[in-house]
Amino acid sequence: MAKVSGILMTSHVPLIGKAIHEGLQNEPYWQPFFEGFKPVHEWLEKNPPDVIIACYNDHGLNFFLDKLPTFAIGTAPEYISDDEGWGIPSMPKFPGAEDLSWHIRDNLVRDEFDMVSCQEMLVDHSITLPMALMWPDQKWRAPLVPICINTVLTPLPSPSRCYRLGEAIGRAIASYPEDLNVLLIGSGGLSHQLEGERAGHINQPFDKQFMASMADDPKWATQFSDIDLIEQVGNEGVELINWLAARGAVPGQVRVLHSSYHIPISNTAAAVMLMEPV
Ligand code: DHB
Ligand code: FE
């Protein structure tokens, strides 16, 4: 039976890609963020995942306003990262965990989540950066199931619905017959807003409470509507619904192995959390 071995939550600011490319990890601006990945690297050495399920959001590379699903899942044999215009050099393609993707897709649809199934899908910095942060040599050690959540066009799926999507992902993992260690990723956040009158908005008290809730009270943020959440954490900070989906996939308690929070990386309150089911 497949089981969750860990959950990694991380911000995915595109500038991180440039910092990786230019080798700036130890510069004072970057060090507090990259430092957060040392415990992740140690954990990955001891707990190599067999497969990765990443809850993320696309920023207009694969889906744009013309066709924008609320939920989509990749069922492709491989995923390519394309030039998004952020100056991130392209990365080696990512192998897809096709069989597990189809299993999760079938189970989510039966569980009444209307997933768009993508046998071809470009993946943007919301996937490439967490992967490159985990494996800086960009030799991907595990295939991927990408699960894309709309954070762009309101109404967004509510935080509560994203959590329930996660619960359904958790049930699908538990019913997969092969013995696999699954690493879940929640990509994005925390608070940030890139445009408009509130550009630069950061809400540290909310971020801290949200991070604490991931450990002890994971449904805490499901009390908010999508718009309430945008109000709190900004238009783009709402990406934390990806964290909710990833956390929802672990029904029980978790142990926090690492947690760091640093303001700012670019315009974003950057966070990293690594957790294990207890
Ligand atoms: C930034 C943050 C994001 O999450 C993103 O997708 C793009 C840009 C930023 O802070 O620059
Ligand atoms: Fe983003």
Side-chain angles (χ1 to χ4, degrees), residues 1-4 53 99-100 102-108 110-111 167-180 182 249 251:
M1 227 175 62
K3 64 170 179 20
V4 175
I53 300 179
D99 285 351
L100 180 62
W102 282 110
H103 172 84
I104 291 179
R105 179 254 173 215
D106 292 354
N107 280 270
L108 291 180
R110 291 202 177 99
D111 240 332
E167 290 178 321
I169 295 169
R171 288 191 290 275
I173 294 169
S175 70
Y176 192 66
E178 209 181 317
D179 283 333
L180 291 179
V182 177

Side-chain angles (χ1 to χ4, degrees), residues 12-15 59 86 125 188-189 192 194 236 239 265-268:
H12 61 220
V13 180
L15 209 54
H59 300 72
W86 293 101
H125 62 276
H192 61 296
L194 301 180
E236 284 75 26
E239 291 168 345
I265 294 296
S266 186
N267 299 292
T268 298

Side-chain angles (χ1 to χ4, degrees), residues 184-254:
L184 287 158
I185 293 182
S187 176
L190 285 178
S191 59
H192 61 296
Q193 172 144 339
L194 301 180
E195 72 296 293
E197 280 176 18
R198 289 207 311 166
H201 171 79
I202 283 187
N203 184 347
Q204 179 165 353
F206 187 96
D207 287 342
K208 289 278 167 85
Q209 191 157 2
F210 179 75
M211 288 175 81
S213 78
M214 286 286 107
D216 305 328
D217 185 13
K219 289 188 183 166
W220 173 76
T222 64
Q223 67 183 289
F224 299 100
S225 70
D226 60 335
I227 300 299
D228 290 341
L229 210 53
I230 289 171
E231 186 79 31
Q232 290 289 341
V233 291
N235 264 355
E236 284 75 26
V238 78
E239 291 168 345
L240 55 74
I241 58 179
N242 301 328
W243 290 38
L244 276 177
R247 181 63 181 83
V250 181
Q253 301 240 301
V254 295

